[in-house]
Amino acid sequence: MLHGEWIPAAEKNSRRLLVMLHGLGDSLEGWRWLPEALDLPWLNFLLVNAPDEYFGGYSWFDYPGDMAPGILRSRKLLFELLDDLRAKNFPPEQITLAGFSQGCLMTMDAGLRYPHKLAGLVGISGWVFEIEKLLAELSPVAKQQRLLVTHGTFDPLLPFDEVRKQVQMLKSAGFKVAWREFPKAHTIHGETEISVIREFVRAGYSGIGK
């Protein structure tokens, strides 16, 4: 079971929810600023800790090394989390799954295999694990999912060109991907990037009742 922190929407009785997955060595504490920054009063937030301890923070899988077992385990845990939220009357179509770095990888890995349509998938400064395998294991609703992928042209950890190549593969496979590049390293490019995320998240709920 994954440990998370719930930050309720200012607007009462909202079922709209953003689930945020942190990067390697970080924790949910590193993302407590996000609700205020996005400034969407009708949006609940669930900030989630990865399952493995890692130098004072947490990780979703071993890195570097054999990543596959940890990714598979974390995917299962995220499926269980989304199913539990669904059982608590947070419908998948009102849930945005978002992640940074390792959290981005898990967002794409789990989100495109999860059998229910979500409000959106947001991948920040991350990558896709074994993209050919993922494309062979897509859920029946995968190509209906809304995708936003952002990356930094100066990212020293995950080369920009490699990630852009993966996004092109997703587009060629029939996905509608909103791809945004920023002059940044392995981080968030301030309000410029936040505003892009805000508008993508907002659009995912247009026409949906609270």
Side-chain angles (χ1 to χ4, degrees):
M1 181 180 287
L2 293 170
H3 170 68
E5 179 177 299
W6 187 269
I7 301 176
E11 201 171 280
K12 287 185 178 178
N13 302 319
S14 172
R15 313 312 290 174
R16 303 175 184 194
L17 171 64
L18 187 145
V19 177
M20 184 67 207
L21 313 179
H22 63 75
L24 178 65
D26 200 1
S27 71
L28 63 83
E29 293 176 14
W31 290 89
R32 285 204 181 111
W33 57 270
L34 187 63
E36 184 178 353
L38 283 182
D39 191 24
L40 297 170
W42 39 264
L43 191 61
N44 298 283
F45 287 81
L46 179 60
L47 311 178
V48 182
N49 273 342
D52 297 328
E53 292 188 4
Y54 185 89
F55 296 101
Y58 299 90
S59 72
W60 293 97
F61 50 85
D62 288 344
Y63 182 83
D66 185 5
M67 299 188 287
I71 290 171
L72 191 63
R73 181 272 326 267
S74 290
R75 182 196 309 160
K76 183 172 180 287
L77 290 171
L78 287 170
F79 273 35
E80 290 170 0
L81 175 66
L82 292 169
D83 286 344
D84 183 58
L85 288 166
R86 194 158 56 101
K88 292 173 178 171
N89 198 27
F90 285 88
E93 66 269 18
Q94 298 215 39
I95 297 174
T96 298
L97 185 60
F100 178 84
S101 195
Q102 273 201 358
C104 167
L105 183 149
M106 292 311 312
T107 294
M108 298 298 164
D109 184 272
L112 294 178
R113 287 180 172 90
Y114 191 63
H116 301 280
K117 188 176 185 300
L118 299 163
L121 302 174
V122 179
I124 306 163
S125 294
W127 76 110
V128 180
F129 180 66
E130 294 184 343
I131 191 166
E132 293 88 355
K133 192 167 189 287
L134 173 62
L135 292 173
E137 297 177 355
L138 298 172
S139 79
V141 298
K143 291 185 182 177
Q144 299 172 36
Q145 303 286 16
R146 301 172 60 251
L147 305 177
L148 169 64
V149 180
T150 71
H151 209 80
T153 52
F154 308 129
D155 195 316
L157 301 179
L158 301 170
F160 174 80
D161 288 342
E162 293 301 313
V163 176
R164 183 168 55 182
K165 203 177 297 179
Q166 289 190 332
V167 169
Q168 286 302 328
M169 288 178 70
L170 290 172
K171 288 181 175 180
S172 297
F175 287 93
K176 293 190 176 79
V177 187
W179 161 251
R180 294 295 301 269
E181 51 194 70
F182 296 96
K184 64 170 188 172
H186 198 65
T187 183
I188 296 274
H189 193 57
E191 173 57 24
T192 309
E193 186 168 2
I194 288 293
S195 66
V196 169
I197 296 168
R198 181 187 301 117
E199 290 314 308
F200 177 83
V201 171
R202 195 200 310 270
Y205 299 97
S206 58
I208 294 180
K210 297 163 192 166

